[in-house]
Amino acid sequence: MEREIAVIRPKGVNHIKQAVTLTATYNIKGKEITLTSHGDVRQGNIDEGRGDIRFDGSLTTENKIFGQSFDDVEEQIEFWSNHPMVENVNFDPKPNSRFTIEIFEDTKAKKRAKTVSVNKVVSTVYGMSEADRKDVMYFFKQDPREMSDDDITLVLVDIVDGLLISEPNTTRFLDTFGSLNKSRVAERVEMMVYVNKGITTGFVTEDADKFYIGDVLIGKDEDDIALFFKDNPQMYENLVRSLAEGGDETAYNEAHEEEATEEETPFAVRIKWEKLYKKYKMKGKFPADLEKAIGRINAHEIVNGLPITK
């Protein structure tokens, strides 16, 4: 039993008012290729019995290709796919094309692949920490500072209009945050997250698609910026420390990674001592030097007969 294998349609809407003909002959590398009315592909231009397709708005706006299997019409589909005036809807656009061909199996395969990719994106995002999800927002040039974690998650993977649900962001996310086991990818992702965070704080500025720290041009794209920081590591350290001093968890952990323990990140350690500082209602601002802060807290505990916090 025959079934629909593919369909050819004119592009645009003008064909509704005016007939359009897709000629079944074209030239490839100096050779004329022709499709006969019976679906056979031949070399040379055949004047009669050619399989031209005429689109008339009063009759039809599409031409379907039927066969018992793809193999039955493979030669015919290949002919139309190679036609300079016909582009495949599932692949890259073809300049100056006036018609499209949709091969239904390709469409199904593309939808299946998208479903797999979207599911992977969603599961990856939900498996992240809150800080990691914020980093994803920064990577895609979104400012999450005034957003709750629930709102961030919706922005990223809402099934209708989530930032990561549509291309090119789906593939971009999987190639970056989905590939952080590759050190080069992880370093590049971290760098651009910090750069975009720097833009929100004003440490980095963007003008005419170029990025600056102060008056220093650091590059116009990721490759430029990566090369700049490789040659100027102190500038990168300054960026990270600026973000850390502003309270960014990821940057703080990197700037103080030597203080990390297996149980706690440096940021978590600092937060613990800040909470104690507030709990004891100690005077003055929490010291920037964590060791000094710990000393003051322990002294307060000794004076007041409290257990010494380690």
Side-chain angles (χ1 to χ4, degrees), residues 97-116:
S97 62
R98 296 180 58 197
F99 303 86
T100 63
I101 182 169
E102 179 182 3
I103 303 167
F104 296 125
E105 283 303 320
D106 286 350
T107 299
K108 292 177 184 177
K110 191 173 183 179
K111 288 180 178 179
R112 285 193 293 268
K114 178 177 174 58
T115 300
V116 170

